[in-house]
Amino acid sequence: GTGLTRLVNTGGSDQVPSWSPDGSKIAYVGYPAPGKSDIFVVGVDGSNPTNLTQTITDASESWPLWSPDGTKILFTKRIGSSLNPSDLYVMNPDGSGLQRLTFNSIGAGAYDWSPGGTKIVFQSNSSGNGEIYVMNADGTGQVNITNHSGFDFGPRWSPDGLRILFNTTRDGNTEIYVMNANGSGQVNLSANAASDSSGVWRP
């Protein structure tokens, strides 16, 4: 806990930091104006904080996540009211090449890159029920891999890329499940009378 260093000092909230794979930069969420959030990037020594999105006043961007090779940043974007749906976007680390990947309501922070960076797993609430989807990194080939009556959320890819960990309410309370990357072999890992969630993979 020693060596605490303040990287940015904007006078507002700065949060949700995400390390670049090479450890040289940190992407984070900043609030340049009331009701507006943007994606920023800063050097690990606090150098050159840069607003990458700089979008319209009523847009909110959040939850940046670097691709495994460091060439892309995945994030959510919502237009207008906090009740409006958010969607997944991707851009280059300098803010160029912005691309919208989904046209659904996405659970904030509920997505993950596959270890090879070729696939993205995400939660969609577009049907009014949480489901886990997998798609190609360019947004094509979206497939619902859970398709269950319970609310499925919080997917996390295994380090070897073969399985996906997720949470679900299908058993009457929240449980931690694991499945193969194609959605097969869904197994309850926690099976507890209490609610269990937010599992993580061992490296």
Side-chain angles (χ1 to χ4, degrees):
T2 62
L4 180 66
T5 303
R6 186 171 188 169
L7 297 183
V8 291
N9 185 10
T10 61
S13 294
D14 301 295
Q15 56 190 12
V16 199
S18 175
W19 285 97
S20 63
D22 65 3
S24 67
K25 296 180 180 179
I26 296 173
Y28 65 97
V29 177
Y31 294 81
K36 172 176 165 50
S37 61
D38 285 335
I39 306 298
F40 289 72
V41 69
V42 65
V44 293
D45 58 357
S47 61
N48 195 31
T50 305
N51 186 335
L52 299 182
T53 49
Q54 301 185 52
T55 53
I56 57 179
T57 302
D58 65 345
S60 295
E61 287 117 351
S62 192
W63 298 99
L65 185 63
W66 294 82
S67 62
D69 63 3
T71 62
K72 300 289 182 181
I73 298 175
L74 186 66
F75 64 98
T76 61
K77 182 175 182 177
R78 185 189 72 244
I79 305 296
S81 167
S82 61
L83 299 178
N84 292 342
S86 59
D87 278 290
L88 284 175
Y89 288 72
V90 70
M91 64 182 169
N92 299 325
D94 62 359
S96 65
L98 181 66
Q99 181 183 1
R100 183 174 181 175
L101 301 182
T102 67
F103 295 83
N104 305 288
S105 175
I106 306 301
Y111 44 88
D112 197 19
W113 291 93
S114 66
T118 60
K119 301 280 188 178
I120 295 169
V121 63
F122 66 97
Q123 169 194 340
S124 174
N125 304 336
S126 61
S127 65
N129 186 50
E131 298 286 0
I132 306 300
Y133 283 71
V134 167
M135 64 181 173
N136 297 321
D138 62 1
T140 62
Q142 295 182 21
V143 179
N144 181 347
I145 60 172
T146 51
N147 195 23
H148 198 277
S149 58
F151 193 89
D152 305 319
F153 63 100
R156 291 290 177 265
W157 225 298
S158 65
D160 62 8
L162 299 178
R163 292 174 293 172
I164 295 171
L165 197 68
F166 67 102
N167 309 305
T168 182
T169 63
R170 65 183 63 180
D171 300 301
N173 64 325
T174 305
E175 299 286 0
I176 299 171
Y177 270 62
V178 69
M179 61 183 166
N180 297 322
N182 64 1
S184 65
Q186 298 182 25
V187 177
N188 186 340
L189 296 183
S190 50
N192 196 301
S195 290
D196 307 293
S197 63
S198 305
V200 294
W201 289 98
R202 183 176 66 181

